[in-house]
Each structure stands twice: as C-alpha cells, then as structure tokens.
Amino acid sequence: MTQIRVAVPYRADGGHRDRLWDWCKPRWEHPELELVEGFQHDDGPFNRAACINRALDGPWDAAVIADADTIISLPRVLAAVHWHLTPERLVIPYQQRQLLTEEYTEKLLTDARPAPTLGPKEG
C-alpha cells in the first residue's frame, strides 16, 4: 500500500489559527492519508521549513505539504497524488486561494457546516 503523508507545519497561537486548524483538520481524515503536524514550540520566528522537515521525517511514498489554515478538496488532493506518484513532481491541487484572516476565520467558523464524514461506509 502506498504511504501518503500530509505534512502540516504548525505553531499554536492560542487564538483563531488554533480554532481554524481544529476545524480544517478533520477534512484531511482519510484511510489513505497519514496526517503529521510539524510543530514549532518556541517563540522565535516561525520556521516553516523546519516544521515541514519534522513532519516528513520517516518513511512515505508521496507527500503533501499543506498549511493548517488551508481548506482543501480531498478528492482533488487524492487524485493529484495518485496521478503524480512519481519522484520530482509537484502538484498544487487548487485553483483559488482565500486569505483566512482572523475576521474571515470568524465568518467561516460561524457560517460553515461541519466536516463531512469520509472513509469506508458501514454496512
């Protein structure tokens, strides 16, 4: 089975970024994916590369580097990963970006529906 790791560089802020990540995180849940948070615990400048390196430490066949404040289309991500399961390829499986400021985060978390349940159906 192919090991697909999703690396998320992250530093808790005790505020809207934590709330947004709590909301976004379930959208990454899928049996094919291993979600790994690369934390930074100190108060110095955020070192995104070091967080990514921590999250990608260990075995994997394909990697997705995602931000904690990114709302994803899981089917697009999975399709892109499976289509590009060869070395030296980079796929950006989105066409639109929205800066999730604190104000926009409040609107999103107030107005949005809960994360969909994904994975195998029972029955």
Side-chain angles (χ1 to χ4, degrees), residues 71-84:
I71 301 168
I72 55 100
S73 165
L74 190 56
R76 281 183 179 226
V77 169
L78 289 169
V81 168
H82 287 291
W83 194 60
H84 285 287

PDB file of all heavy atoms in Angstrom, residues 71-84:
ATOM      1  N   ILE A  71      -8.202  25.217   3.435  1.00  0.00           N
ATOM      2  CA  ILE A  71      -9.386  24.389   3.227  1.00  0.00           C
ATOM      3  C   ILE A  71      -9.170  23.649   1.923  1.00  0.00           C
ATOM      4  O   ILE A  71      -8.914  24.260   0.894  1.00  0.00           O
ATOM      5  CB  ILE A  71     -10.658  25.250   3.174  1.00  0.00           C
ATOM      6  CG1 ILE A  71     -10.812  26.030   4.469  1.00  0.00           C
ATOM      7  CG2 ILE A  71     -11.876  24.378   2.906  1.00  0.00           C
ATOM      8  CD1 ILE A  71     -11.851  27.106   4.402  1.00  0.00           C
ATOM      9  N   ILE A  72      -9.259  22.342   1.966  1.00  0.00           N
ATOM     10  CA  ILE A  72      -8.882  21.524   0.823  1.00  0.00           C
ATOM     11  C   ILE A  72     -10.079  20.812   0.210  1.00  0.00           C
ATOM     12  O   ILE A  72     -11.116  20.672   0.832  1.00  0.00           O
ATOM     13  CB  ILE A  72      -7.816  20.483   1.231  1.00  0.00           C
ATOM     14  CG1 ILE A  72      -8.283  19.623   2.429  1.00  0.00           C
ATOM     15  CG2 ILE A  72      -6.517  21.154   1.570  1.00  0.00           C
ATOM     16  CD1 ILE A  72      -8.792  18.291   2.053  1.00  0.00           C
ATOM     17  N   SER A  73      -9.875  20.385  -1.008  1.00  0.00           N
ATOM     18  CA  SER A  73     -10.802  19.467  -1.668  1.00  0.00           C
ATOM     19  C   SER A  73     -10.113  18.111  -1.625  1.00  0.00           C
ATOM     20  O   SER A  73      -9.200  17.833  -2.420  1.00  0.00           O
ATOM     21  CB  SER A  73     -11.050  19.900  -3.104  1.00  0.00           C
ATOM     22  OG  SER A  73     -11.640  18.845  -3.821  1.00  0.00           O
ATOM     23  N   LEU A  74     -10.496  17.281  -0.689  1.00  0.00           N
ATOM     24  CA  LEU A  74      -9.838  15.987  -0.518  1.00  0.00           C
ATOM     25  C   LEU A  74      -9.858  15.142  -1.793  1.00  0.00           C
ATOM     26  O   LEU A  74      -8.832  14.556  -2.151  1.00  0.00           O
ATOM     27  CB  LEU A  74     -10.439  15.232   0.661  1.00  0.00           C
ATOM     28  CG  LEU A  74      -9.687  13.980   1.090  1.00  0.00           C
ATOM     29  CD1 LEU A  74      -8.227  14.269   1.415  1.00  0.00           C
ATOM     30  CD2 LEU A  74     -10.385  13.358   2.281  1.00  0.00           C
ATOM     31  N   PRO A  75     -10.958  15.068  -2.525  1.00  0.00           N
ATOM     32  CA  PRO A  75     -10.918  14.288  -3.774  1.00  0.00           C
ATOM     33  C   PRO A  75      -9.874  14.805  -4.759  1.00  0.00           C
ATOM     34  O   PRO A  75      -9.195  14.016  -5.417  1.00  0.00           O
ATOM     35  CB  PRO A  75     -12.335  14.437  -4.341  1.00  0.00           C
ATOM     36  CG  PRO A  75     -13.187  14.701  -3.140  1.00  0.00           C
ATOM     37  CD  PRO A  75     -12.322  15.529  -2.221  1.00  0.00           C
ATOM     38  N   ARG A  76      -9.706  16.132  -4.853  1.00  0.00           N
ATOM     39  CA  ARG A  76      -8.692  16.682  -5.759  1.00  0.00           C
ATOM     40  C   ARG A  76      -7.286  16.346  -5.289  1.00  0.00           C
ATOM     41  O   ARG A  76      -6.407  16.032  -6.087  1.00  0.00           O
ATOM     42  CB  ARG A  76      -8.831  18.198  -5.883  1.00  0.00           C
ATOM     43  CG  ARG A  76      -9.917  18.627  -6.793  1.00  0.00           C
ATOM     44  CD  ARG A  76      -9.926  20.145  -6.899  1.00  0.00           C
ATOM     45  NE  ARG A  76     -10.968  20.545  -7.796  1.00  0.00           N
ATOM     46  CZ  ARG A  76     -10.807  21.440  -8.756  1.00  0.00           C
ATOM     47  NH1 ARG A  76      -9.665  22.049  -8.908  1.00  0.00           N
ATOM     48  NH2 ARG A  76     -11.809  21.741  -9.541  1.00  0.00           N
ATOM     49  N   VAL A  77      -7.068  16.446  -3.986  1.00  0.00           N
ATOM     50  CA  VAL A  77      -5.751  16.121  -3.441  1.00  0.00           C
ATOM     51  C   VAL A  77      -5.415  14.659  -3.732  1.00  0.00           C
ATOM     52  O   VAL A  77      -4.333  14.345  -4.223  1.00  0.00           O
ATOM     53  CB  VAL A  77      -5.685  16.412  -1.924  1.00  0.00           C
ATOM     54  CG1 VAL A  77      -4.422  15.831  -1.312  1.00  0.00           C
ATOM     55  CG2 VAL A  77      -5.763  17.910  -1.657  1.00  0.00           C
ATOM     56  N   LEU A  78      -6.343  13.757  -3.431  1.00  0.00           N
ATOM     57  CA  LEU A  78      -6.089  12.333  -3.664  1.00  0.00           C
ATOM     58  C   LEU A  78      -5.870  12.039  -5.149  1.00  0.00           C
ATOM     59  O   LEU A  78      -4.972  11.271  -5.508  1.00  0.00           O
ATOM     60  CB  LEU A  78      -7.235  11.496  -3.115  1.00  0.00           C
ATOM     61  CG  LEU A  78      -7.316  11.440  -1.594  1.00  0.00           C
ATOM     62  CD1 LEU A  78      -8.641  10.822  -1.151  1.00  0.00           C
ATOM     63  CD2 LEU A  78      -6.145  10.671  -1.013  1.00  0.00           C
ATOM     64  N   ALA A  79      -6.664  12.646  -6.004  1.00  0.00           N
ATOM     65  CA  ALA A  79      -6.495  12.437  -7.451  1.00  0.00           C
ATOM     66  C   ALA A  79      -5.122  12.932  -7.900  1.00  0.00           C
ATOM     67  O   ALA A  79      -4.433  12.259  -8.674  1.00  0.00           O
ATOM     68  CB  ALA A  79      -7.606  13.148  -8.220  1.00  0.00           C
ATOM     69  N   ALA A  80      -4.708  14.083  -7.414  1.00  0.00           N
ATOM     70  CA  ALA A  80      -3.408  14.642  -7.796  1.00  0.00           C
ATOM     71  C   ALA A  80      -2.269  13.754  -7.309  1.00  0.00           C
ATOM     72  O   ALA A  80      -1.317  13.480  -8.048  1.00  0.00           O
ATOM     73  CB  ALA A  80      -3.260  16.052  -7.229  1.00  0.00           C
ATOM     74  N   VAL A  81      -2.364  13.278  -6.085  1.00  0.00           N
ATOM     75  CA  VAL A  81      -1.308  12.419  -5.535  1.00  0.00           C
ATOM     76  C   VAL A  81      -1.205  11.127  -6.335  1.00  0.00           C
ATOM     77  O   VAL A  81      -0.109  10.707  -6.728  1.00  0.00           O
ATOM     78  CB  VAL A  81      -1.556  12.117  -4.042  1.00  0.00           C
ATOM     79  CG1 VAL A  81      -0.640  11.016  -3.543  1.00  0.00           C
ATOM     80  CG2 VAL A  81      -1.357  13.384  -3.208  1.00  0.00           C
ATOM     81  N   HIS A  82      -2.329  10.489  -6.594  1.00  0.00           N
ATOM     82  CA  HIS A  82      -2.288   9.226  -7.337  1.00  0.00           C
ATOM     83  C   HIS A  82      -1.821   9.416  -8.770  1.00  0.00           C
ATOM     84  O   HIS A  82      -1.140   8.552  -9.329  1.00  0.00           O
ATOM     85  CB  HIS A  82      -3.647   8.531  -7.289  1.00  0.00           C
ATOM     86  CG  HIS A  82      -3.921   7.937  -5.947  1.00  0.00           C
ATOM     87  ND1 HIS A  82      -3.237   6.857  -5.452  1.00  0.00           N
ATOM     88  CD2 HIS A  82      -4.789   8.300  -4.968  1.00  0.00           C
ATOM     89  CE1 HIS A  82      -3.665   6.565  -4.249  1.00  0.00           C
ATOM     90  NE2 HIS A  82      -4.606   7.425  -3.927  1.00  0.00           N
ATOM     91  N   TRP A  83      -2.158  10.525  -9.360  1.00  0.00           N
ATOM     92  CA  TRP A  83      -1.734  10.793 -10.740  1.00  0.00           C
ATOM     93  C   TRP A  83      -0.244  11.081 -10.826  1.00  0.00           C
ATOM     94  O   TRP A  83       0.405  10.774 -11.801  1.00  0.00           O
ATOM     95  CB  TRP A  83      -2.548  11.955 -11.294  1.00  0.00           C
ATOM     96  CG  TRP A  83      -2.447  12.101 -12.778  1.00  0.00           C
ATOM     97  CD1 TRP A  83      -2.792  11.186 -13.726  1.00  0.00           C
ATOM     98  CD2 TRP A  83      -1.964  13.232 -13.484  1.00  0.00           C
ATOM     99  NE1 TRP A  83      -2.569  11.685 -14.981  1.00  0.00           N
ATOM    100  CE2 TRP A  83      -2.055  12.958 -14.861  1.00  0.00           C
ATOM    101  CE3 TRP A  83      -1.467  14.462 -13.084  1.00  0.00           C
ATOM    102  CZ2 TRP A  83      -1.665  13.856 -15.826  1.00  0.00           C
ATOM    103  CZ3 TRP A  83      -1.090  15.366 -14.063  1.00  0.00           C
ATOM    104  CH2 TRP A  83      -1.180  15.052 -15.418  1.00  0.00           C
ATOM    105  N   HIS A  84       0.288  11.658  -9.778  1.00  0.00           N
ATOM    106  CA  HIS A  84       1.692  12.066  -9.784  1.00  0.00           C
ATOM    107  C   HIS A  84       2.545  11.269  -8.805  1.00  0.00           C
ATOM    108  O   HIS A  84       3.431  11.823  -8.171  1.00  0.00           O
ATOM    109  CB  HIS A  84       1.795  13.555  -9.453  1.00  0.00           C
ATOM    110  CG  HIS A  84       1.385  14.419 -10.584  1.00  0.00           C
ATOM    111  ND1 HIS A  84       2.148  14.593 -11.707  1.00  0.00           N
ATOM    112  CD2 HIS A  84       0.277  15.150 -10.790  1.00  0.00           C
ATOM    113  CE1 HIS A  84       1.538  15.401 -12.542  1.00  0.00           C
ATOM    114  NE2 HIS A  84       0.390  15.749 -12.013  1.00  0.00           N
TER     115      HIS A  84
END
